[in-house]
Each structure stands twice: as C-alpha cells, then as structure tokens.
Amino acid sequence: MSDYRGITVSGGTVTFGSSSSGDFSSTNPSVVAEDYGYYDAGTSTFKFYSGEIYGRTDATNKYPTIIRSGMSMNINISDGYKRAYLDSGVAKVGTKLYSSLQTALSSASSGSTIELIDNVSEGGVTVPSGKTFTLNTSSYTITLGSETLENNGTLTLSGSGTITGTSSVITNNGTLTVSSSSIKIKGTGNGSAIVNQKKLTVSGGTITSTGKAIYDNKTANTETYIKGGTISNTSTSSMKNISVNIQGSGSKLVISGGTISGNYRCIHIGSGATLTMTGGGVNVTATNLGTSDPTIIAIRIVGGTANITRASITASKGSTTYAPRGMAVESSGTLTFGANGDSTTPVIVSDAYGINISSSTVNMYGGTVKGKTRALSAKPNTGSYTYTTGTSGEYKTATVK
C-alpha cells in the first residue's frame, strides 16, 4: 500500500503548517491517506506546527522532530482512520506533551516520570498493568468526579498537587507509593480516598475523606505501610466512617510514623488482619454524632491481632459527653502492648477508657495507659503493672513495672 501514502520522505526537512502564532489551525493543512498519512523512510526532520494527518494504517510512523510550542501531538480514530492533530498539553514526559493524563499513562514508556503542567479533569484514569510511573503532580489538581484513578501497575505519587473525587479517589490493584510530604489526596463523598487491594506505602502527604481515608475493601492479603503523613476522616456527622479500615483476612497494616486522626474511629482491624505499630500517633476527638454514645475509639481490634511497641494514642471527648476509648479489643482479638518493661512507650491517654477489653487476649509488656473512667476495663492476661486511682476528673493510670 506504499502508493497510498500521503507524504513519503527519506531525508531533508518537512514543515507542516505555519509556525506563526496567529496561524494555528487544527484542520489546515490536512492529509488523508489509505496507508500512512506521513511516512519517513529515512531520517528526515518533521516540523508539525498546524493541521491534521489521517492514515488508515497510521497517521505517521515517527513522532515529529519539532512540535508547536505548548502543544502535543495526539492520535484518535475517526471513521476507520487514525488522525494526528495538535492540542495543548496537561502533562509531559521530558519535553513531550500530552493532552490528557490518560494519554500519557497509556503512551509513555514504563519507568517515565509524568509531570503535570496544568489542572486535569478526567472521568477516569488507569495505570496499565506492567507499567511503572512516577506521577509528579507539581502544584496542580486532578479532579476525577465520581470516577477513580485505578492503578494496575506500579505508581509513585509526588509533588504538591491535589487528587480529588467524590467516590473512591484511588483504587490500587498494584503497588502504590505516596512519597511527597505535601501531596493531598482528598475524598469528598462516601467513598474512600484510597482503596488498597494490594500494596500501599504512605511516606508523606495528606490523605483525607468524608468516607474512609484508607480501606482494603475486605480484600485478603493486602499490605499497607504508613511511614509518615497525615491521614484523617473529616466527616462530622457519620458513625460509619473510619480513617484506616483493614478487614481482609491475612491483610496487614504496619505503622512506623505519621498521624492518623478522626472523630469516630481512627483504625479498625478486622478478623484475620494484623496491626504492627512501632511509631506514629493516633488521635480521636469526638464530635456530636447525634446519638447518646456512639463508642468513639482510636484503635479497634475486632478478632484481629495487634502488636504495638511504640505509639502515642489519645481519645478525647471534645465538647461532647461521650465516653471515648483509646483502644478496644473485642471478639477474640489479641493485643500485645509494649516491650521490655519500658513504661515510656506506647502511651494511651483517654477521657474515658484507656483499653476496653472484651472476650479477648491482652498482653501488656510495657507502656502506660491512662483513662479518666478507667485505664483498663479488665486485667491483662500477661504482664505486671501498677495501677493508680485518682479523684473525680483525674486519670487512672496503669503502668508496667
């Protein structure tokens, strides 16, 4: 079909369209061909400044050498032809511009850093399986509406921009790393900021949602590592929203830094899931949720397992009359608290109960627990501690000897 190419060159320079700032057109000049619209059989210089190129086989066999400043070449399919045209870009890889974030993720080579150069508003964005990218949000905003950014590959988020949506903002089916200290992931609906169904690492940034901030969707064997950043549920009215919710059998949450906060429950560990905490803080501050006592809990273990060796955990009733708990261990859950007789960490301070124990196993090897109502609702299964009582309004303290 070589006789049906629009333009065939093997050397020299081809200038397509005018480079003058006032002469841009997305449709003029125009080439339509049954094979390639533009075919370079050698090493020609192709300057694409304006117009469109159609080809049934492909619009062009090589990316242009030079493109009009501030624009990118895009390909779409129209009536069986592939059309190459110019458009302004929202993202770039090196000097190559892309008109949409999805085009960049689909077309850029694995291993690339994709940098936003403008705000993005797209219905849904997918990182293909097998691809690895760093997405530098710069200072721009990705608005997803009710759709999601779905990661099926390996994605690192950096920059100081914002990713926002009204449903689940990011759905992770691969490996996702939130690396920047200033990036923001914000859910404004009932979905989650991040639904993690494989491996998530949070080293910084701010992750908030009026639904759940991080949720494993009850998926088995997920991994969530929190090393830094701020994670919170920002709802002021719902009793169903939890900042970090891990319920999948075999799933694990590992916290070594950062701060997790909320107004109802900050961390929930379900049956078969595990929590390991060697640092960081968990702070629940109650707000009026329209009921007499909604059981405000900073960390709740329901049939799961927790090992906490270093942490700061607080539970405040705020301006309410609620009776918050620093921790609750329920339904055959297991908690190992502290290590090596070190009473300085972890520390729980609660306006009501420090640790509420119900039909579960609690081993206390270190740390200090304070609760104005009671430090411990029951005696731990293992551990030697001193227990002090105070007058009304003072903390009752359990400290490992």
Coordinates of all heavy atoms in Angstrom, one line a residue, residues 70 83 110 116 134 141 144 239 271 397:
G70 N 4.2 24.5 23.4 CA 3.0 24.5 24.3 C 1.9 23.5 23.9 O 0.8 23.5 24.4
R83 N -6.1 9.7 13.2 CA -5.9 11.1 13.0 C -4.8 11.7 14.0 O -5.0 11.6 15.2 CB -7.2 11.9 13.1 CG -7.0 13.4 13.0 CD -8.4 14.1 13.2 NE -8.3 15.6 13.2 CZ -8.5 16.4 14.2 NH1 -8.9 15.8 15.4 NH2 -8.4 17.7 14.1
S110 N 7.3 2.8 30.2 CA 7.4 2.4 31.6 C 8.7 2.9 32.2 O 9.8 2.9 31.5 CB 7.4 0.8 31.7 OG 7.4 0.4 33.0
L116 N 2.7 16.9 35.7 CA 1.5 17.7 35.3 C 2.0 19.1 35.0 O 2.9 19.7 35.7 CB 0.5 17.7 36.4 CG -0.2 16.4 36.8 CD1 -1.3 16.7 37.8 CD2 -0.8 15.8 35.5
T134 N 6.3 7.4 37.8 CA 6.2 8.4 38.9 C 5.3 9.5 38.3 O 5.6 10.1 37.2 CB 7.6 9.0 39.3 OG1 8.4 8.0 39.9 CG2 7.5 10.1 40.3
T141 N -4.1 20.2 40.3 CA -5.2 19.4 40.8 C -5.7 18.4 39.7 O -6.0 18.8 38.6 CB -6.4 20.3 41.3 OG1 -5.9 21.1 42.4 CG2 -7.5 19.5 41.8
L144 N -11.4 14.0 39.5 CA -11.9 12.8 38.9 C -13.4 12.7 39.0 O -14.0 11.7 38.4 CB -11.3 11.6 39.6 CG -9.7 11.5 39.6 CD1 -9.2 10.5 40.6 CD2 -9.3 11.0 38.2
M239 N -21.3 7.9 61.6 CA -20.7 7.0 62.5 C -20.2 5.8 61.8 O -19.7 4.8 62.4 CB -21.8 6.5 63.5 CG -22.2 7.5 64.5 SD -23.3 6.8 65.8 CE -24.7 6.3 64.8
S271 N -11.2 -9.3 61.7 CA -10.8 -10.7 62.0 C -9.8 -11.2 60.9 O -10.1 -11.1 59.7 CB -12.0 -11.6 62.0 OG -11.6 -13.0 62.3
T397 N -4.3 5.4 86.1 CA -3.1 5.0 85.3 C -2.7 3.6 85.5 O -2.6 3.1 86.7 CB -1.9 5.9 85.6 OG1 -2.3 7.3 85.4 CG2 -0.7 5.6 84.7

